[in-house]
Amino acid sequence: MVKLGRNMRSVSIVGVGCTPFKDFEDHPETQGIGEGEAFGYAALEAIADAGLEPRDVDFFYHGAANPYLINDCITPNMQVADWLGMRSKGSVHHSEACCTGYVALEQAVMAVASGTYDVVLSGAVDLASTLPVEHMPSHVRQDFPLEVMIPSLDKIYDRAYGRPLDGAFGVSFDNWINEYSMIYDLDADKIDDALNGLTKSLRRGAVANPLAYYETTVEQDAAEMGFETADEYLKSMYNPKVTQYLRVTGFEKKCDGAAAIVVMPTEKAKAMGVPHAPIEVLGTGASAVEAGLVHNEHWATEIAAKQVYELTGVSPDEVDLFMCNDFFLASEICSAEECGYIPRGEAWKYAIEGRTAFDGDKPINPHGGRCNFGHAHGASGIADIYEAVKQMRGEAGATQMAKVPRTTFLRGFGGSQNVRCQILRTVE
């Protein structure tokens, strides 16, 4: 009989792994691999990073945003075990849309904190740029056209009352930034400048990251199209607005990818002398607000952030790095302020001035975020954790922050409704 309770044991991340976030069909390192191999790639890297072997892992979690549509499988945890040497080990699959990666961390931590297991692997994978071919091996893929993607999106809404897709989904992209603009009396041009400022900063980070999707800066793209400046290009017909505020560059870049983490009790990690300083998971705040409700992302973020600050006793001014799900770019501005990382009413200015870039004084998503690093749906949250851990170890390479962060705040969001706020801290 396992006794469950809040924070029974301190839990730390001791290993991380991540595939390139690319179109696997077109990238030489990943061409021809399916979701099982991709999950195994990330999982084995995370296990080795922890100085462990697959046999040392007690249990694993498998996440994917929509395994039936995107990976043509049910109970995919059973189908990937052989790829990481864990046949017969206990496992479970879970799916929370684009919040899957953050829930993956939450569930792994709870399993170890409770005393149920000592060493847990948690990973996620989605081949989000293509679709499987029914009854064919998993590496055989086909195009993922809008006529297939768009009808699938309304499945994230409460359909009990027949709510149509266009009744809420399109509005949700602009909802929070529109509220923000009214509170601080900002016109559309200022919001546009802020979002384009984020794009330039995030793309610089992505281009310097070998795992990221993009390999050219906005400035290079502008020059290729005959523009003198990046700003001219970003405001041109080649980057049109597709909602009231958001341009094409302000939306996620779909791609394929997988990422994984290994967690264990902090004291065990210290006693074993794991290869890297343990990164303690101080706590998680959780909220889910149904997607059709006005201000649902704002509401859920406010609740989850308050929970995690109260649980951990950490204050916002202790946070050195902010990671957030930005599959529509305006979320960076709004959530950074709601979580106390940037003063109220100031984030739009920080974005224009480049202060949120990896080499700025208030970095957000140094790896480039969903719109530039790439978005592999359920795997992206763990890719955020991967980046945070690398930054906290001082191992982020060309995009390493000038001051190695000790405390990181993660704001996960997915399915247009599910939010997790988590705080990580380096064990010294």
Side-chain angles (χ1 to χ4, degrees):
M1 190 77 178
V2 177
K3 180 180 180 182
L4 299 177
R6 177 183 264 188
N7 300 331
M8 294 292 290
R9 295 196 289 184
S10 167
V11 181
S12 286
I13 300 167
V14 295
V16 292
C18 188
T19 71
F21 270 46
K22 304 282 188 178
D23 290 337
F24 278 9
E25 293 281 299
D26 301 327
H27 188 62
E29 186 177 342
T30 55
Q31 193 171 44
I33 72 172
E35 67 273 3
E37 295 151 292
F39 188 91
Y41 176 126
L44 288 171
E45 182 180 322
I47 293 168
D49 187 53
L52 302 173
E53 299 287 344
R55 63 176 176 268
D56 300 317
V57 178
D58 301 321
F59 189 92
F60 77 91
Y61 289 90
H62 176 284
N66 190 337
Y68 182 69
L69 174 66
I70 297 175
N71 297 326
D72 193 32
C73 58
I74 300 173
T75 62
N77 56 303
M78 304 301 298
Q79 301 176 29
V80 304
D82 280 357
W83 290 104
L84 59 148
M86 292 188 63
R87 178 184 289 178
S88 82
K89 291 284 183 93
S91 63
V92 69
H93 168 74
H94 61 102
S95 178
E96 292 80 25
C98 298
C99 199
T100 296
Y102 311 96
V103 176
L105 174 63
E106 176 190 48
Q107 295 300 306
V109 167
M110 290 170 63
V112 173
S114 70
T116 306
Y117 302 107
D118 276 345
V119 181
V120 171
L121 170 84
S122 198
V125 58
D126 271 310
L127 307 189
S129 63
T130 55
L131 287 174
V133 177
E134 191 174 7
H135 306 309
M136 294 293 289
S138 64
H139 70 278
V140 179
R141 311 290 293 184
Q142 60 184 320
D143 289 341
F144 193 169
L146 285 176
E147 57 263 31
V148 174
M149 182 184 74
I150 295 297
S152 73
L153 298 179
D154 68 350
K155 305 302 188 291
I156 67 177
Y157 288 94
D158 172 12
R159 294 178 292 141
Y161 301 102
R163 183 178 292 116
L165 171 63
D166 59 2
F169 194 82
V171 174
S172 69
F173 293 137
D174 281 340
N175 179 261
W176 200 355
I177 195 65
N178 189 55
E179 177 191 18
Y180 182 91
S181 71
M182 291 188 290
I183 291 172
Y184 299 110
D185 193 25
L186 303 176
D187 60 28
D189 287 337
K190 288 179 179 176
I191 297 298
D192 197 30
D193 288 341
L195 297 180
N196 289 338
L198 288 177
T199 294
K200 290 183 289 184
S201 294
L202 292 163
R203 183 68 67 83
R204 282 200 302 115
V207 169
N209 188 321
L211 297 180
Y213 184 90
Y214 280 108
E215 298 177 356
T216 58
T217 65
V218 178
E219 288 76 11
Q220 290 172 319
D221 293 345
E224 184 176 347
M225 299 303 296
F227 292 92
E228 292 187 3
T229 69
D231 289 322
E232 289 176 352
Y233 168 70
L234 288 171
K235 293 188 176 185
S236 75
M237 62 179 288
Y238 297 101
N239 186 37
K241 284 188 177 181
V242 289
T243 71
Q244 181 181 358
Y245 296 103
L246 298 180
R247 295 182 181 273
V248 170
T249 50
F251 283 96
E252 64 185 50
K253 180 58 186 177
K254 287 185 179 295
C255 66
D256 308 317
I261 56 172
V262 174
V263 301
M264 66 170 56
T266 303
E267 290 304 318
K268 180 181 178 72
K270 291 165 66 176
M272 286 179 57
V274 292
H276 309 280
I279 304 297
E280 188 178 12
V281 184
L282 299 184
T284 292
S287 181
V289 178
E290 200 278 312
L293 297 178
V294 176
H295 307 320
N296 71 294
E297 183 188 356
H298 187 174
W299 186 7
T301 300
E302 178 184 6
I303 293 169
K306 181 180 179 182
Q307 284 180 5
V308 75
Y309 280 131
E310 290 180 350
L311 173 66
T312 63
V314 173
S315 64
D317 59 7
E318 296 178 68
V319 176
D320 304 309
L321 170 62
F322 187 73
M323 305 291 298
C324 79
N325 186 339
D326 59 349
F327 51 62
F328 34 99
L329 201 53
S331 289
E332 285 199 20
I333 290 172
C334 299
S335 63
E337 290 190 16
E338 189 59 47
C339 298
Y341 183 63
I342 294 176
R344 299 276 187 181
E346 297 294 314
W348 69 277
K349 298 177 187 177
Y350 283 43
I352 292 172
E353 295 165 0
R355 295 176 65 181
T356 62
F358 69 86
D359 53 359
D361 62 317
K362 281 290 185 178
I364 301 175
N365 292 348
H367 62 347
R370 303 299 185 277
C371 303
N372 294 276
F373 180 80
H375 186 33
H377 296 177
S380 292
I382 304 187
D384 284 357
I385 298 164
Y386 175 93
E387 173 68 15
V389 169
K390 288 291 188 178
Q391 288 284 349
M392 296 170 80
R393 291 177 179 174
E395 298 176 350
T399 60
Q400 179 64 53
M401 294 164 53
K403 175 188 174 183
V404 175
R406 180 170 179 258
T407 303
T408 296
F409 192 109
L410 300 156
R411 196 295 302 237
F413 173 56
S416 295
Q417 56 194 346
N418 207 354
V419 167
R420 295 293 184 275
C421 287
Q422 296 159 325
I423 298 178
L424 312 180
R425 177 165 287 168
T426 305
V427 176
E428 297 177 344

